[in-house]
Amino acid sequence: VIGLAIQFTLPQITSFQNNIEVVKSLKTWIVGLAILAQFCSYIGLGLTIKELVKSAHREFSALRGMMISLASTSIGMVAGGMIGAGAATFRWVKAYGGGNQGASLAATLPAILLDVVLLGVSIIGVVNLFFNEHLTRWQLAAFIFISILLLIVFTFFYYALKHREKSKEIAFK
């Protein structure tokens, strides 16, 4: 195990040193602003989890939601990505009294809402790149295809939340 750790860690040291040099070259106020923005993001996630659990008729604190989102994001970075983070969020929200419905909402909706925002920003960027001729037609087609898939997933979740009884019926079949 130690040999594997050394094998995978040693090549990353040079990259890590380069990253430190890049951070040192940045203006301090910009780094501080980025840290503040990330902190505000976790506050927002905590409030979102609180309100999602509240919609399932359970009580939950925003601070606990913030800590869960921070911890589950850390787990997602190490193991499982977005699915690992969602699973950790579900487990912890349920363990702290969020119930199945509140935990399910807290584990899925914040990621979907973030994807919708990123889709909007991406559309603006892609349109800009396309009109400035920095994007090929194939790249544009791939972006449109992936965007349509995301829209279908979002529509599916929206429909499932609006028509819970019907979606339960479909899921059980």
Side-chain angles (χ1 to χ4, degrees), residues 156 159 164-173:
F156 171 77
Y159 179 81
R164 290 183 184 175
E165 293 304 317
K166 182 73 173 169
S167 55
K168 284 181 189 177
E169 198 176 293
I170 292 170
F172 286 133
K173 285 182 183 178

Side-chain angles (χ1 to χ4, degrees), residues 71-92:
S72 64
T73 302
S74 298
I75 285 180
M77 287 187 340
V78 174
M82 195 167 81
I83 293 173
T89 300
F90 178 85
R91 183 180 185 286
W92 284 325

Side-chain angles (χ1 to χ4, degrees), residues 43-164:
I43 290 172
L45 282 170
L47 291 169
T48 302
I49 288 174
K50 175 188 176 210
E51 291 302 316
L52 288 171
V53 172
K54 185 178 177 183
S55 74
H57 309 293
R58 303 281 181 132
E59 288 298 317
F60 211 79
S61 76
L63 180 62
R64 177 158 286 152
M66 185 174 110
M67 292 300 152
I68 287 173
S69 66
L70 180 62
S72 64
T73 302
S74 298
I75 285 180
M77 287 187 340
V78 174
M82 195 167 81
I83 293 173
T89 300
F90 178 85
R91 183 180 185 286
W92 284 325
V93 169
K94 185 176 178 185
Y96 286 108
N100 280 335
Q101 185 179 13
S104 295
L105 289 171
T108 55
L109 275 182
I112 292 170
L113 294 173
L114 181 62
D115 285 345
V116 169
V117 171
L118 290 174
L119 178 62
V121 171
S122 297
I123 288 172
I124 292 168
V126 165
V127 167
N128 183 24
L129 288 172
F130 184 72
F131 284 118
N132 289 321
E133 299 178 3
H134 295 292
L135 196 67
T136 66
R137 291 189 187 276
W138 284 107
Q139 290 170 326
L140 181 64
F143 178 81
I144 290 171
F145 177 74
I146 291 169
S147 298
I148 289 171
L149 286 178
L150 284 174
L151 187 62
I152 290 169
V153 169
F154 180 75
T155 304
F156 171 77
F157 278 114
Y158 179 78
Y159 179 81
L161 288 173
K162 281 293 191 186
H163 307 282
R164 290 183 184 175

